[in-house]
Amino acid sequence: MSEEQTVSLVDVLQEDEELEEEASAVLGGSDSDHCSYPQGYVKRQALYACNTCTPKGGEPTGVCLACSYKCHEGHDLFELYTKRNFRCDCGNKKFAELKCKLFPEKDSVNNLNKYSQNFFGLYCTCSRPYPDPDDQVEDEMIQCVVCEDWLHGRHLGCVVPDSVGLLEMICESCMNKNTFLWTYAAHLAVTTVFNVLQILDQSDGDIQPSCKRSREDLGSCCRLKELPVIGQTRVQSGAVFLPSSWRSKLCTCQSCLENLSATGLSFLIDESDTVLAYENKGKTSEETRQHDPLMSALDNLNRVQQLEIIHGYNDMKSDLKDFLQTFAAEGKVVTPDDIHQFFEQQQNRKRQRFDSGHCI
């Protein structure tokens, strides 16, 4: 095997670290052991819908990360990514028989929870599942920051700009329900990569109100009404893409705050509400963890020693996969005792190889 074809254990573990970082970003530090219900309506959390317990035709429900593990193991779950201001439903009266194993003392319903077709595994204006077995077109799904539904790029009614990961999208339906957003879109909407870079470099002064008032009077000065209209014509159709900094440009006068509250959009002036902020929280938690000493030790080994270790690692990984497959086939839960037994068997096999003179 040539040098170019080999992969060191350092490479394997580095790839694992990248996957763990991605998982931490998605879960955002969600607790995998304790139900989130006692925290109330959590600002943003990873959520799941159980098709086994509440299939289509029933009432929609959402469960937290911990309950998806502990109460819905082996069930048909829809991964909802994240939702804002949601309280775990697991085991409340919407569930016919299931009782929450982690926090059974729940109210019968969570009246402030908001549900959508996502809770039945359907997405976009086409109301199709994801992944869709009948759709052969590769298309990115993008989440609306208002309704939090996921839409196919080709169903947004507009050209999806480059650098979409730097942007927030509001679907056409949400724009039309909240028509004042079209005024902001006329000044801030992104259409091309050049537009993205240009707007990201804009200062907050670009859409500051023209009125000159003291700090005490700024609350009565409406930035939205002061936005110039000349030269800012825009066809009000299709989804709108906005730069990540756009929320800081929203007017916070008393009238606009009341309007945001009345339309249920107060979260738009909270920059920590964004999915990007949520993901950064998870990544930051991961970065604060102590560096793996195994990685440091492997850096000091020569190539031959690393190859010897990776062969042993691959053997153990194969054995562990076979071991876990027996549990999956029988639908059994893997307990700490089972894992302890597996590693005892590994140690016994290692001793047998050593005694026979075949120690690695």
Side-chain angles (χ1 to χ4, degrees):
M1 183 177 289
S2 68
E3 182 75 13
E4 289 74 21
Q5 291 175 312
T6 61
V7 178
S8 72
L9 184 55
V10 174
D11 297 328
V12 174
L13 292 180
Q14 285 176 340
E15 182 178 354
D16 286 345
E17 282 189 342
E18 292 174 359
L19 292 174
E20 287 179 6
E21 181 180 347
E22 182 178 343
S24 295
V26 172
L27 298 179
S30 295
D31 192 334
S32 61
D33 297 315
H34 303 92
C35 177
S36 65
Y37 182 86
Q39 301 176 40
Y41 292 87
V42 180
K43 196 169 192 176
R44 184 172 291 281
Q45 64 176 314
L47 283 180
Y48 302 81
C50 185
N51 190 41
T52 302
C53 295
T54 54
K56 189 175 182 179
E59 292 189 83
T61 63
V63 302
C64 67
L65 176 65
C67 286
S68 74
Y69 290 156
K70 303 295 192 291
C71 306
H72 300 267
E73 181 184 11
H75 291 189
D76 180 17
L77 295 175
F78 299 126
E79 185 176 356
L80 304 179
Y81 190 50
T82 73
K83 298 290 183 184
R84 66 169 62 89
N85 300 330
F86 198 94
R87 197 172 198 183
C88 181
D89 286 321
C90 183
N92 66 18
K93 80 168 190 177
K94 292 185 175 183
F95 292 81
E97 300 178 357
L98 181 136
K99 300 298 181 183
C100 182
K101 299 177 182 178
L102 300 178
F103 198 90
E105 301 84 15
K106 291 184 171 71
D107 291 339
S108 57
V109 292
N110 296 313
N111 292 319
L112 299 183
N113 281 353
K114 293 183 179 180
Y115 305 92
S116 67
Q117 62 175 353
N118 295 174
F119 289 81
F120 293 115
L122 302 176
Y123 307 89
C124 191
T125 56
C126 59
S127 297
R128 295 293 300 168
Y130 183 82
D132 187 347
D134 298 325
D135 186 2
Q136 304 304 314
V137 179
E138 293 186 7
D139 195 359
E140 183 177 10
M141 296 286 281
I142 304 172
Q143 188 179 36
C144 172
V145 299
V146 175
C147 67
E148 297 189 296
D149 195 359
W150 293 82
L151 292 88
H152 295 101
R154 65 185 187 275
H155 294 157
L156 291 176
C158 68
V159 176
V160 177
D162 296 327
S163 303
V164 70
L166 300 173
L167 309 174
E168 289 195 315
M169 184 273 287
I170 303 179
C171 69
E172 181 178 8
S173 176
C174 288
M175 291 294 295
N176 289 334
K177 289 177 182 176
N178 307 281
T179 54
F180 71 94
L181 291 175
W182 287 113
T183 303
Y184 287 113
H187 294 265
L188 297 174
V190 173
T191 56
T192 67
V193 63
F194 304 106
N195 199 189
V196 172
L197 297 176
Q198 178 184 5
I199 289 181
L200 288 177
D201 289 337
Q202 284 185 171
S203 67
D204 287 340
D206 289 337
I207 59 171
Q208 289 294 326
S210 60
C211 52
K212 305 292 184 180
R213 306 194 182 189
S214 66
R215 182 182 299 271
E216 292 75 14
D217 293 333
L218 283 178
S220 61
C221 181
C222 182
R223 184 185 305 183
L224 180 60
K225 292 179 180 179
E226 292 288 331
L227 286 177
V229 179
I230 300 176
Q232 299 292 340
T233 58
R234 174 191 171 95
V235 177
Q236 295 185 0
S237 65
V240 170
F241 286 86
L242 297 149
S244 57
S245 60
W246 80 283
R247 297 187 186 215
S248 65
K249 303 178 188 297
L250 295 176
C251 180
T252 55
C253 73
Q254 188 61 35
S255 176
C256 284
L257 288 177
E258 291 175 357
N259 181 49
L260 289 172
S261 177
T263 54
L265 299 180
S266 295
F267 60 84
L268 288 179
I269 58 175
D270 180 4
E271 295 186 51
S272 67
D273 166 81
T274 66
V275 172
L276 180 61
Y278 170 84
E279 291 182 342
N280 286 337
K281 174 184 175 183
K283 290 179 180 179
T284 300
S285 299
E286 178 66 21
E287 291 171 356
T288 58
R289 294 172 55 187
Q290 185 176 1
H291 179 68
D292 190 348
L294 178 58
M295 293 292 291
S296 299
L298 287 170
D299 287 339
N300 296 321
L301 298 179
N302 61 42
R303 187 69 171 179
V304 174
Q305 291 171 318
Q306 288 187 2
L307 288 175
E308 289 178 347
I309 292 176
I310 198 169
H311 286 313
Y313 173 83
N314 285 332
D315 288 342
M316 185 191 72
K317 183 171 68 172
S318 179
D319 291 343
L320 181 60
K321 180 180 179 181
D322 293 340
F323 176 75
L324 295 177
Q325 280 181 338
T326 61
F327 287 85
E330 299 176 8
K332 293 182 179 179
V333 176
V334 182
T335 67
D337 289 340
D338 294 325
I339 298 299
H340 182 69
Q341 179 185 356
F342 169 79
F343 283 106
E344 277 191 345
Q345 292 173 351
Q346 292 288 309
Q347 287 293 333
N348 290 335
R349 292 172 62 180
K350 182 178 180 180
R351 293 190 192 98
Q352 291 173 4
R353 289 197 300 269
F354 180 83
D355 293 341
S356 61
H358 297 289
C359 181
I360 296 180

